[in-house]
Amino acid sequence: MTLLRMDNVLLVVEDLERAIAFFAELGMELEGQTTVEGQAVDRLIGLQGVRADLVSMRTPDGHGRIELDKFHTPPAIRAEPEDAPVNSFGIRRSMFAVDDIEDVVTRLRTHGAELVGDLVQYEDSYRLCYVRGPSGIIVGLGEKVS
């Protein structure tokens, strides 16, 4: 038996519409939305009385996906500060390749995003930065330098 692929990464958010707008501005496309609840969902995730809205978004090439979840019941909890540093345990960021990093940062700032550090030139190959978006989510952006 072999691993076939990674399907998506789950991001729990406070404001679903804000998160959708942020990732749409990044260039991701809405793939679908639904509400989940019931015994199967409760058993799957080990919580009782779950009711959550889920949104699936994909990268333009169709290979990368994120799932944005807004929990209504039980309410989501914050396990760490919203501004947790990049060296905190757990999933810290998702990395996206872009063709104009400054344009993307400017557009994401209109959705409340802030640079975590600086936009830097890494050797002769990439321009890179980390951006903090809705619910403290960190995305990495990379532009290949030719």
Side-chain angles (χ1 to χ4, degrees):
M1 189 178 307
T2 59
L3 178 69
L4 299 177
R5 68 183 167 272
M6 185 177 88
D7 280 336
N8 66 57
V9 174
L10 167 66
L11 304 170
V12 176
V13 299
E14 295 167 306
D15 185 334
L16 191 56
E17 294 307 315
R18 184 172 172 225
I20 292 168
F22 176 84
F23 284 103
E25 191 68 54
L26 180 59
M28 297 193 80
E29 301 166 354
L30 183 65
E31 189 170 55
Q33 320 188 204
T34 191
T35 300
V36 296
E37 59 188 325
Q39 189 176 43
V41 175
D42 292 356
R43 289 178 47 227
L44 173 66
I45 65 175
L47 295 172
Q48 296 300 309
V50 173
R51 184 173 174 278
D53 294 329
L54 280 60
V55 171
S56 178
M57 299 187 79
R58 69 175 174 267
T59 55
D61 68 3
H63 295 293
R65 287 180 174 76
I66 59 169
E67 179 181 306
L68 303 171
D69 287 15
K70 164 67 177 164
F71 280 84
H72 299 285
T73 58
I77 60 168
R78 184 169 301 284
E80 58 189 26
E82 188 167 326
D83 62 349
V86 176
N87 65 340
S88 300
F89 287 114
I91 297 174
R92 298 302 350 134
R93 60 116 178 105
S94 298
M95 191 75 178
F96 296 91
V98 299
D99 61 3
D100 184 343
I101 197 167
E102 289 179 11
D103 176 63
V104 173
V105 169
T106 298
R107 289 187 292 114
L108 292 178
R109 281 184 166 149
T110 67
H111 295 275
E114 299 175 353
L115 284 173
V116 172
D118 294 324
L119 194 160
V120 300
Q121 175 77 35
Y122 180 74
E123 298 179 349
D124 292 331
S125 54
Y126 287 94
R127 297 181 71 211
L128 302 165
C129 70
Y130 284 3
V131 177
R132 191 180 307 275
S135 300
I137 295 166
I138 297 174
V139 296
L141 303 173
E143 175 186 347
K144 188 159 181 64
V145 177
S146 31

